[in-house]
Amino acid sequence: MNTIFNAKVKLPFNITYQFNIAPRFQFFYDRYFTSAERPNSNPNDRGTNREQAKRFNWSLNNTITWDQTFANRHHVILTFVQEAEERQYWSDRIEARNILPSDALGFHNTQNGDKSVSSFRTDDNHQTADALMARAFFLTMIVIWLLVPLDVTAIRLLGQIILMHGSLREV
């Protein structure tokens, strides 16, 4: 099962808070049986496999953003993020071989498998992580006016250059 729950709230002073959490559940089952009574089979490599695994993961994210413009020229965005996650995994696997006195019960009788040719495995994991981040963005719009005195000759020369490049049509 995968899902994401999220919320976004606009707060005063151009502050936005965003939250999301994503839990994940996963289940795995393997039930396999091959009878040792099958023709041309060896009881040491025939039998049953019984495996089960469960996984539960989640991640959490909190984000606060402040987006402000001052004097229609200066734009500031500050972002702060906090994240956390956890991963958990549990699994068991039994490979029962040479099940005595009979393998008629299949994977319901794994305890009667010959321990010298059978295998047993378990795996349990637990991991956690967290992170913090801050980011600042600043943009300013400064317009610089350049005043250059131009005489009539310079203006005519500029007009001819523009006409040569085809940017303007002569009227």
Side-chain angles (χ1 to χ4, degrees), residues 3-113:
T3 189
I4 297 176
F5 300 103
N6 59 17
K8 189 172 187 177
V9 179
K10 291 187 133 285
L11 300 170
F13 308 109
N14 293 329
I15 296 173
T16 304
Y17 170 72
Q18 186 172 348
F19 162 85
N20 69 45
I21 186 166
R24 179 180 182 201
F25 295 98
Q26 185 177 19
F27 304 96
F28 172 76
Y29 296 98
D30 176 23
R31 303 292 188 259
Y32 174 78
F33 170 71
T34 301
S35 176
E37 293 179 6
R38 193 171 165 187
N40 300 322
S41 68
N42 180 355
N44 289 333
D45 26 35
R46 297 284 184 193
T48 185
N49 297 345
R50 183 175 177 144
E51 182 176 7
Q52 59 190 10
K54 295 178 188 174
R55 185 181 307 266
F56 175 59
N57 303 335
W58 59 264
S59 65
L60 168 78
N61 179 299
N62 290 297
T63 304
I64 296 175
T65 303
W66 180 57
D67 189 339
Q68 186 68 44
T69 302
F70 300 99
N72 289 332
R73 300 175 106 177
H74 309 290
H75 188 191
V76 176
I77 301 173
L78 297 177
T79 305
F80 304 98
V81 179
Q82 180 269 330
E83 290 194 23
E85 65 180 40
E86 183 175 32
R87 299 169 61 167
Q88 299 174 56
Y89 176 76
W90 306 269
S91 73
D92 303 305
R93 181 172 176 87
I94 300 170
E95 295 179 1
R97 303 295 183 257
N98 196 17
I99 300 172
L100 298 174
S102 166
D103 62 5
L105 292 177
F107 54 82
H108 298 291
N109 194 26
T110 58
Q111 72 272 12
N112 288 338

